Amino acid sequence: MNSSKEIKIALVAVLGLLILYIGMNFLKGASLFSSDDVYYVKFDDVTGLSEASPIYADGFKVGTVKAIAYDFDHQGNIKVSIGLNNELRVPKGSSAEIVSDMLGNVKVNLLLANNPRERIMPGQMIDGAVSGGAMAKAADLIPQFEQMLPKLDSIMTSLNLLLADPAIANSLHNIEAVTGHLTTTTTQVNQLLGQLNGKVPGLLQKTDGVLTNAQTLTTNLAKVDVEGTMAKVDATVANVEQLTRELNSNEGSLGKLMRDPGLYNRMNQTVNDADSLLIDLRMRPKRYVHFSLF
């Protein structure tokens, strides 16, 4: 009776250990009943890599790390057993690299070669390497930052000297004053625009009147007989030209009157005689007029 209880307890303990083992492997991502093909990868450094670490090909999970063994006979060689999906064909020339992200998660990327004829068979070795990922890229940038630090220090020194210059403070004060003036000017312009807005209707009415007058003037001008008027002007100009020619010629009374000095002298003498006669008539009227009452 006691032996049967001990057997049951032993069976329960073994079953519990088996379930614990299966659960731990499940949490690690390993499968006890998987049919994965086993390959081997040789690395110089496997920092961060552990059993059950995922293996990806083109971003898709294709397997896990089975075991990690250090080759004590050849220092620096670490042999990693990986299990890959048996449907995956690994072309010859493919390689694997260990990649770690910013959070410290480590995985293996399988870089498949473009070789459709030859393949790596299960149990054979795949070349491995370590890729620093984002951290390695950041480390590569450190020398560039170190080269930039003296320049940044010089720039900061120059900037401090520039900010310490009193002229900067004066300039800022002037900018503040200019800003105040601009604010005042803007206020005045707004007031002016408000006044103009109030006067715009009257201005529009006056403008309408001016336009109406201009339209009336244009209509009247359109009614004027321009051709007839120009013909009359041409005739008048022709008459003036003819009169000018007659005055400039020696023919005709006006021409002779203007160009004959003798005639001018005689007329001048006649005017003088008439003037003397009128003076004598005014001075001695009795000589010329006789009155008789009887």
Side-chain angles (χ1 to χ4, degrees):
M1 192 69 162
N2 293 330
S3 60
S4 62
K5 290 183 178 180
E6 292 175 354
I7 293 173
K8 291 180 180 179
I9 293 172
L11 291 175
V12 170
V14 172
L15 183 60
L17 291 173
L18 181 60
I19 294 174
L20 179 63
Y21 178 75
I22 295 174
M24 291 181 63
N25 283 277
F26 177 78
L27 293 175
K28 289 181 179 179
S31 177
L32 295 176
F33 308 103
S34 66
S35 58
D36 294 343
D37 293 332
V38 178
Y39 295 83
Y40 299 97
V41 185
K42 183 174 63 175
F43 292 104
D44 295 333
D45 188 356
V46 291
T47 302
L49 188 66
S50 62
E51 294 183 9
S53 294
I55 300 174
Y56 292 88
D58 299 329
F60 183 80
K61 185 179 179 181
V62 294
T64 57
V65 175
K66 297 294 185 181
I68 301 175
Y70 188 82
D71 188 356
F72 292 97
D73 295 332
H74 302 86
Q75 187 176 2
N77 291 332
I78 302 175
K79 187 177 181 180
V80 177
S81 301
I82 61 174
L84 300 179
N85 192 307
N86 55 10
E87 296 182 1
L88 177 65
R89 182 181 182 277
V90 182
K92 193 172 182 179
S94 301
S95 61
E97 64 176 5
I98 299 175
V99 180
S100 58
D101 57 18
M102 298 293 292
L103 299 177
N105 299 319
V106 180
K107 64 181 180 179
V108 177
N109 278 338
L110 191 62
L111 307 177
L112 300 177
N114 186 13
N115 188 356
R117 295 184 179 181
E118 299 178 303
R119 61 176 294 187
I120 300 175
M121 301 303 296
Q124 293 183 345
M125 188 70 67
I126 300 175
D127 294 331
V130 178
S131 175
M135 296 300 295
K137 294 180 180 179
D140 294 337
L141 293 176
I142 290 177
Q144 299 181 8
F145 281 112
E146 291 179 349
Q147 294 178 0
M148 292 176 59
L149 286 177
K151 297 181 180 179
L152 290 175
D153 183 63
S154 177
I155 292 173
M156 293 301 297
T157 303
S158 301
L159 184 60
N160 289 331
L161 292 175
L162 182 63
L163 293 177
D165 191 348
I168 298 296
N170 295 331
S171 299
L172 293 176
H173 179 71
N174 293 333
I175 291 173
E176 183 179 3
V178 170
T179 304
H181 294 327
L182 288 176
T183 303
T184 303
T185 303
T186 303
T187 303
Q188 294 176 354
V189 170
N190 291 332
Q191 293 176 356
L192 179 60
L193 290 176
Q195 295 176 0
L196 289 176
N197 290 332
K199 296 181 179 180
V200 164
L203 292 175
L204 291 177
Q205 293 178 357
K206 293 181 180 179
T207 303
D208 292 338
V210 172
L211 292 176
T212 302
N213 295 333
Q215 185 176 4
T216 302
L217 177 61
T218 305
T219 303
N220 294 333
L221 289 176
K223 295 179 180 179
V224 174
D225 186 5
V226 178
E227 294 182 357
T229 303
M230 292 304 297
K232 294 179 181 179
V233 170
D234 292 338
T236 303
V237 171
N239 293 332
V240 172
E241 290 179 352
Q242 182 178 359
L243 177 61
T244 303
R245 286 196 300 270
E246 291 178 356
L247 291 176
N248 291 330
S249 65
N250 294 327
E251 299 178 357
S253 301
L254 290 177
K256 292 180 179 180
L257 179 63
M258 292 181 65
R259 295 181 177 277
D260 189 357
L263 178 59
Y264 171 76
N265 293 329
R266 288 193 295 274
M267 290 182 66
N268 190 21
Q269 183 64 38
T270 302
V271 171
N272 290 332
D273 292 342
D275 183 62
S276 298
L277 177 61
L278 290 174
I279 293 172
D280 188 64
L281 178 61
R282 188 171 59 252
M283 297 295 294
R284 303 179 181 86
K286 293 182 179 181
R287 179 182 294 180
Y288 302 97
V289 179
H290 296 281
F291 293 94
S292 177
L293 296 178
F294 304 99

